[in-house]
Amino acid sequence: MNKRLSKSEFKAAIESNIKTLYRKTIDEATVDQVFQAVSYAVKDIIIDEWIATHDEYEKQDVKVLYYMSMEFLIGRTLGNNIINIGAIKEVREALSELGFDLNAVEDKEPDPALGNGGLGRLAACFLDSLATLGYPAYGCGIRYRYGMFKQKIEKGYQVEVPDEWLKNPYPFEMKRPEYAYEVKFGGNVRVEKKDGKDVFIHENYNSVRAVPYDLPILGYKNNVVNSLRIWDAEAITNFSLEHFDRGEYQMAVEQENLARTIVEVLYPNDNHYAGKELRLKQQYFFISASIQRAIARYKEKHNDIKKLHEKVVFQMNDTHPTVAVPELMRILLDEEGLNWDDAWAVTTKTCAYTNHTIMSEALEKWPIDLFSRLLPRIYQIVEEINRRFVESIKKAYPGNEEKVADMAILYNNQVRMAYMAIVGSFSVNGVARLHTEILKKQELKDFYLMMPEKFNNKTNGITQRRFLLHANELLADWVSKKIGSDWICNLSAISKLKDYLDDEKAAMEFMDIKHRNKVRLAAYIKEHNNIEVDPDSIFDIQVKRLHEYKRQLLNILHVMYLYNKLKDDDGFDMYPRTFIFGAKAAAGYRRAKLTIKLINSVADVINNDSSINGKIKVVFIEDYKVSNAEIIFAAADVSEQISTASKEASGTGNMKFMLNGAITLGTMDGANVEIVEEVGKDNAFIFGLSSDEVIKYEKDGGYDPLEIFNKDSEIRKVLMQLTNGYFSAENPGMFKEIYDSLLYPDEGGRADIYFILKDFNSYAQAHERIDKAYQNKKAWARMALLQTASCGKFSSDRTIEEYVRDIWHLKKVEVKMPKNSK
Ligand code: 4GP
């Protein structure tokens, strides 16, 4: 870093920004205003590096990755940016001398929540790693006016409140109107012959202007600044009186409306496809704009479009960006004049696809009539892709019509997006080893057999710079003191902590930090929930989206079971435990919302029952998001990763907990399998059916939850409490739906489809093991320290290096800043 500001220069910059932005002196400024002023001071430093990075990319004519994603859950950026420019000390001191606390200032940043959960947060971690490793990359997404909703809990129920993250100007974004593009919807396609060739003319369409905003993505102290490019929509038509005469007024109004609605809001669904037309519009909108820009940029330096893949790679983050395949074909065919075979060769060397879920309800299948009406030219291309693919299926499996039905992109009046993504890509990857194996052996078996070379695994990772360096300063400092700071950019170096496993003093220091982080979380809980929790109790935490397969229900049913034991069984005792939940449910997901209500109802009863001497506390943290997640991970003793085996593709929360020294209580699902491999199975609390067992039951049947209900009186008691008003005196029938789902077959003919009762006893036993283990303070401290020491593999830096090596083939770029550039 050549360009540094001293403390006094920061002070001067902040004061001067307060003056120019607000015509105030620093003494008159509010904390919100100071947030803006500090951000602009930091941005001023970033800008030079941003320019230098892009100059270097231009100069070296590097290959560029475009990471296409409907979601980027970046979280607050000021704190990370300050760390990444290496100015934390100077800024903190400058602010303190001006009478402000950096943490309080950071708290004023709206949490940009342009994503739902795992998939969106992974995209944000990837951008962080790409910049830190020096790889040329753009994130391409949507500038939703309203990101993920804010969650309020009222009388135990989730209430969704719009999240106006752009209410005040967001200081780090930059509008780039010079890169605006038109995106067209609807209308019809007319075919004309020109020089003996068919020319496709799109007419009578509506269109919007896609205008990009760039957010800087900083590498860690390496001068590299990449961009997250998020697209806004503006109306193209200018109202003019002439239009009234020509009857085009209606069209103008429609275009205004289209522009307004298209980027209005993020669909709040995680692992779920809702099939809304506006969602498809959003997808095509940002994909078309991103690809138009990528091609224009390529053509500034290159004139052979057939070599596009040498300089450009499009990674599709799940199926949401899959219209990239036909859109790239459209541009190559209709605008660049390639023939089909050449265009297809370029497309299938440029696009790659990541699958993030096998939940069948998440699979995108657009009705053909909607798709073809909204995107008529794109649909023609999809038809031709499908026609040719069906031919190749028939060639591979002559006479096997079933294979055609199983694999065709267009089938049953639907466009199957995952199949189009596979056919149009040169790489298909899953996000943890088990997940990729399930894709190959079950979900996508036919495709794997036909094109095995495309399939590969990239186990997810997280950025240690946000989730340890920024989120847990105490631990980060301690780790650096013990083993040096290499771990910040090379997480595998953290294994040097293993030298301290049997060093009692070090282990106690480690646990003391954990305790201080628990005190910090307890204060947050007191402030937000008005519940007193004891930092000496075990902090047992499950934070993630609310989804049936993630089984928050199993967790709360087990809490009810423990509570019953405390009340009924004089011989029973337990170490005090605080069960902490945080989860947003999709606004339309009734069962998930009812589970939130159940957790809060149970919390109300238990937290107010003095007869159990505070042995159990239950807390539901409102509005779980990236910023409070950072406080939560740091304070956890136990990390609940309890999805039904086979259902969680990877999980990344599990890695964030591990990094911060929490021990996994989990099923052998997703990346838990690889976590257990790293720490050893004696250093995790594993329970439940294996994924093979789950898959077998799903196929062959043979599981009847009623048998368990009839046999096991403790489980029966818990279930009866769902219907007898024990936790909902005001409305005893309130949780009947949950009770029914556990015992009686659904429309699909199966009951308890997430195997909650089946896994219940094994889960309860794992909790007993935890209870015992925690009481041996020394052994627990060793185990906790071992988690942090073993998490080297789970850095997103490692994941990105694997993507680069196997899929993207990017070259690292070094950015040098001129000396004394400030
Ligand atoms: C999530 C998966 O559920 C999670 O297991 C995985 O860690 C994450 O993607 C990142 O790969 N999927 C989604 C989704 O968020 O909407 O499909």
Side-chain angles (χ1 to χ4, degrees):
M1 302 290 294
N2 296 303
K3 180 175 171 182
R4 301 201 68 123
L5 291 196
S6 65
K7 178 181 69 183
S8 56
E9 285 169 315
F10 265 114
K11 271 169 76 175
I14 294 166
E15 285 184 294
S16 144
N17 288 346
I18 288 286
K19 195 167 93 187
T20 40
L21 286 169
Y22 304 108
R23 212 199 57 184
K24 279 189 178 177
T25 65
I26 189 80
D27 308 323
E28 300 164 316
T30 63
V31 185
D32 275 302
Q33 292 168 337
V34 172
F35 159 70
Q36 294 279 345
V38 177
S39 299
Y40 278 105
V42 170
K43 190 176 177 184
D44 191 36
I45 298 176
I46 294 171
I47 290 284
D48 286 333
E49 297 181 358
W50 210 353
I51 294 170
T53 302
H54 284 268
D55 284 352
E56 200 56 42
Y57 292 169
E58 289 292 313
K59 202 169 87 197
Q60 297 193 26
D61 189 21
V62 288
K63 182 174 183 185
V64 176
L65 161 71
Y66 294 86
Y67 195 83
M68 312 280 200
S69 179
M70 290 287 277
E71 305 187 14
F72 288 92
L73 191 44
I74 53 175
R76 289 178 178 151
T77 53
L78 174 62
N80 260 74
N81 288 346
I82 294 174
I83 288 180
N84 287 7
I85 60 171
I88 186 86
K89 193 165 160 281
E90 291 82 352
V91 174
R92 177 170 289 138
E93 288 175 6
L95 279 171
S96 152
E97 288 182 17
L98 293 170
F100 293 89
D101 169 45
L102 174 60
N103 291 343
V105 171
E106 278 186 47
D107 262 348
K108 290 297 173 190
E109 179 173 350
D111 199 323
L114 308 181
N116 273 287
L119 172 150
R121 182 56 231 175
L122 184 77
C125 284
F126 279 6
L127 294 184
D128 179 277
S129 288
L130 282 157
T132 295
L133 295 167
Y135 290 120
Y138 282 90
C140 302
I142 296 176
R143 185 174 179 267
Y144 300 105
R145 208 139 301 150
Y146 297 96
M148 187 59 201
F149 60 78
K150 274 196 197 328
Q151 179 192 55
K152 291 244 177 294
I153 300 296
E154 286 176 10
K155 300 206 167 94
Y157 289 101
Q158 166 177 297
V159 175
E160 301 91 29
V161 181
D163 171 37
E164 289 184 78
W165 76 289
L166 290 170
K167 195 168 74 188
N168 297 320
Y170 190 65
F172 289 105
E173 69 173 4
M174 256 188 133
K175 186 171 180 174
R176 310 298 300 275
E178 65 274 35
Y179 299 134
Y181 290 91
E182 184 178 13
V183 180
K184 300 172 184 170
F185 298 95
N188 57 283
V189 179
R190 187 163 49 84
V191 188
E192 257 180 26
K193 283 265 182 239
K194 216 177 188 180
D195 306 329
K197 267 176 82 181
D198 284 344
V199 177
F200 298 86
I201 298 158
H202 192 180
E203 53 189 19
N204 300 319
Y205 52 80
N206 272 325
S207 64
V208 293
R209 182 184 295 113
V211 184
Y213 285 68
D214 287 352
L215 290 168
I217 305 292
L218 278 67
Y220 180 73
K221 294 186 182 173
N222 66 350
N223 308 322
V224 172
V225 181
N226 283 333
S227 309
L228 167 55
R229 176 159 287 175
I230 48 180
W231 295 89
D232 190 18
E234 292 180 3
I236 285 186
T237 319
N238 296 317
F239 280 90
S240 75
L241 275 177
E242 273 172 76
H243 287 162
F244 289 112
D245 301 338
R246 288 199 267 124
E248 287 179 10
Y249 180 75
Q250 186 57 31
M251 170 90 98
V253 172
E254 275 171 23
Q255 303 210 155
E256 287 280 341
N257 280 340
L258 180 60
R260 192 153 358 95
T261 54
I262 207 161
V263 295
E264 189 72 2
V265 66
L266 163 79
Y267 279 93
N269 299 316
D270 181 88
N271 277 283
H272 183 83
Y273 157 73
K276 295 280 191 281
E277 177 165 347
L278 181 59
R279 170 83 171 183
L280 182 57
K281 279 186 193 160
Q282 292 181 334
Q283 296 182 348
Y284 184 66
F285 165 74
F286 93 99
I287 286 298
S288 177
S290 302
I291 295 188
Q292 289 187 62
R293 176 63 206 140
I295 290 192
R297 188 175 178 278
Y298 172 81
K299 285 171 64 178
E300 283 162 12
K301 273 207 153 64
H302 305 273
N303 46 28
D304 187 357
I305 196 76
K306 286 189 211 156
K307 291 188 176 161
L308 182 74
H309 60 279
E310 291 180 5
K311 296 291 173 191
V312 168
V313 54
F314 296 139
Q315 187 69 37
M316 302 187 288
N317 198 23
D318 216 277
T319 54
H320 321 146
T322 302
V323 283
V325 171
E327 173 65 2
L328 179 54
M329 285 298 287
R330 180 189 70 78
I331 294 173
L332 296 174
L333 294 166
D334 298 357
E335 292 177 15
E336 300 299 326
L338 296 193
N339 65 35
W340 184 277
D341 288 338
D342 287 342
W344 187 244
V346 173
T347 300
T348 51
K349 280 189 270 185
T350 307
C351 296
Y353 158 57
T354 304
N355 175 291
H356 290 272
T357 178
I358 59 157
M359 299 299 293
S360 57
E361 68 260 37
L363 284 187
E364 291 188 297
K365 295 179 194 141
W366 293 104
I368 284 181
D369 63 342
L370 184 161
F371 193 99
S372 59
R373 184 168 36 79
L374 192 65
L375 307 171
R377 177 63 187 136
I378 292 298
Y379 180 67
Q380 289 179 333
I381 292 169
V382 174
E383 271 189 322
E384 182 59 14
I385 295 174
N386 181 61
R387 192 188 65 74
R388 288 170 183 244
F389 178 55
V390 166
E391 261 178 24
S392 68
I393 305 171
K394 286 183 172 160
K395 215 185 259 163
Y397 302 99
N400 189 342
E401 279 307 309
E402 223 175 87
K403 281 279 181 233
V404 174
D406 287 348
M407 298 176 78
I409 297 167
L410 298 179
Y411 185 72
N412 213 2
N413 294 320
Q414 290 173 323
V415 187
R416 301 197 283 206
M417 300 300 268
Y419 298 177
M420 181 153 73
I422 298 169
V423 172
S425 293
F426 64 91
S427 162
V428 176
N429 75 283
V431 290
R433 196 202 308 134
L434 175 68
H435 169 60
T436 302
E437 286 309 306
I438 293 174
L439 291 179
K440 294 199 304 201
K441 295 205 185 105
Q442 319 266 342
E443 302 299 309
L444 301 176
K445 184 172 164 197
D446 286 330
F447 289 89
Y448 175 61
L449 290 176
M450 201 167 154
M451 35 193 122
E453 70 290 348
K454 289 189 182 184
F455 284 73
N456 63 94
N457 177 55
K458 296 286 165 280
T459 296
N460 284 163
I462 56 163
T463 165
Q464 66 270 27
R465 291 169 290 279
R466 178 173 290 266
F467 290 104
L468 182 52
L469 187 61
H470 182 256
N472 192 346
E473 246 184 288
L474 292 173
L475 185 58
D477 285 349
W478 182 83
V479 172
S480 294
K481 253 186 227 131
K482 291 283 179 232
I483 61 166
S485 54
D486 288 358
W487 63 272
I488 296 172
C489 289
N490 170 18
L491 193 60
S492 55
I494 209 161
S495 68
K496 289 193 208 126
L497 282 180
K498 288 186 181 164
D499 292 348
Y500 293 91
L501 284 178
D502 297 305
D503 176 335
E504 268 179 42
K505 190 171 153 277
M508 291 326 289
E509 287 165 4
F510 186 83
M511 290 315 286
D512 180 53
I513 289 170
K514 177 63 75 186
H515 194 265
R516 289 165 68 186
N517 284 320
K518 287 165 78 173
V519 170
R520 174 172 73 159
L521 180 58
Y524 181 93
I525 289 170
K526 176 74 189 151
E527 185 188 336
H528 290 82
N529 295 60
N530 199 24
I531 299 174
E532 300 272 356
V533 301
D534 177 6
D536 290 326
S537 65
I538 302 172
F539 277 19
D540 179 319
I541 309 188
Q542 185 174 21
V543 285
K544 47 182 80 253
R545 283 301 293 257
L546 213 137
H547 208 297
E548 286 166 277
Y549 83 80
K550 295 179 189 279
R551 300 201 295 192
Q552 285 90 352
L553 181 57
L554 173 60
N555 188 343
I556 195 66
L557 292 178
H558 173 258
V559 173
M560 290 158 63
Y561 156 89
L562 281 181
Y563 176 63
N564 291 339
K565 277 182 102 68
L566 280 174
K567 305 271 298 176
D568 300 346
D569 181 350
D570 288 342
F572 177 76
D573 196 14
M574 61 181 280
Y575 198 90
R577 187 91 71 106
T578 303
F579 292 96
I580 298 170
F581 294 82
K584 287 180 184 172
Y589 192 171
R590 202 188 58 240
R591 181 89 44 89
K593 292 172 94 168
L594 191 58
T595 306
I596 292 178
K597 173 65 180 164
L598 175 63
I599 295 168
N600 284 310
S601 299
V602 171
D604 268 354
V605 171
I606 294 184
N607 296 343
N608 293 307
D609 182 347
S610 55
S611 78
I612 59 163
N613 294 324
K615 290 263 160 160
I616 304 177
K617 284 279 170 79
V618 182
V619 177
F620 188 96
I621 293 183
E622 193 178 62
D623 203 29
Y624 172 58
K625 55 185 171 184
V626 179
S627 49
N628 56 22
E630 295 182 22
I631 302 173
I632 294 168
F633 292 124
D637 294 308
V638 176
S639 153
E640 297 253 6
Q641 307 301 333
I642 61 176
S643 52
T644 310
S646 80
K647 303 291 181 220
E648 188 68 273
S650 162
T652 45
N654 45 5
M655 301 168 186
K656 295 164 198 167
F657 279 112
M658 181 191 189
L659 178 65
N660 284 277
I663 299 163
T664 305
L665 162 57
T667 48
M668 281 302 228
D669 198 15
N672 295 353
V673 174
E674 291 164 71
I675 288 178
V676 172
E677 206 167 87
E678 295 301 304
V679 294
K681 66 178 181 341
D682 295 338
N683 296 300
F685 299 96
I686 298 302
F687 73 97
L689 294 175
S690 69
S691 61
D692 284 344
E693 287 166 329
V694 167
I695 291 167
K696 191 161 166 12
Y697 277 124
E698 287 177 340
K699 263 209 205 113
D700 305 342
Y703 164 49
D704 181 5
L706 269 173
E707 271 179 30
I708 298 175
F709 178 83
N710 289 330
K711 252 197 327 237
D712 187 322
S713 60
E714 290 176 316
I715 290 185
R716 194 161 60 244
K717 174 156 187 172
V718 170
L719 261 57
M720 294 313 292
Q721 287 172 336
L722 292 174
T723 57
N724 65 14
Y726 193 86
F727 292 102
S728 57
E730 73 287 5
N731 180 359
M734 179 185 294
F735 302 117
K736 175 88 169 35
E737 175 186 341
I738 292 178
Y739 172 90
D740 286 346
S741 77
L742 292 170
L743 295 178
Y744 305 115
D746 61 9
E747 326 74 78
R750 288 170 50 221
D752 188 14
I753 59 175
Y754 295 107
F755 300 90
I756 287 176
L757 301 195
K758 185 81 186 159
D759 276 350
F760 191 92
N761 278 327
S762 154
Y763 180 59
Q765 285 157 15
H767 273 292
E768 283 167 26
R769 297 200 295 276
I770 290 174
D771 188 275
K772 222 190 247 136
Y774 195 80
Q775 300 187 42
N776 182 342
K777 290 273 176 294
K778 257 205 251 165
W780 185 276
R782 187 182 193 283
M783 211 193 306
L785 177 52
L786 179 65
Q787 308 297 317
T788 302
S790 307
C791 69
K793 172 173 175 184
F794 302 108
S795 169
S796 44
D797 299 342
R798 187 266 315 147
T799 314
I800 288 299
E801 291 290 16
E802 291 180 6
Y803 274 92
V804 168
R805 183 191 67 204
D806 301 340
I807 306 174
W808 301 333
H809 308 296
L810 306 172
K811 192 175 138 253
K812 263 190 189 148
V813 171
E814 228 184 278
V815 178
K816 293 210 174 69
M817 295 299 292
K819 285 241 177 326
N820 303 322
S821 63
K822 185 93 191 176

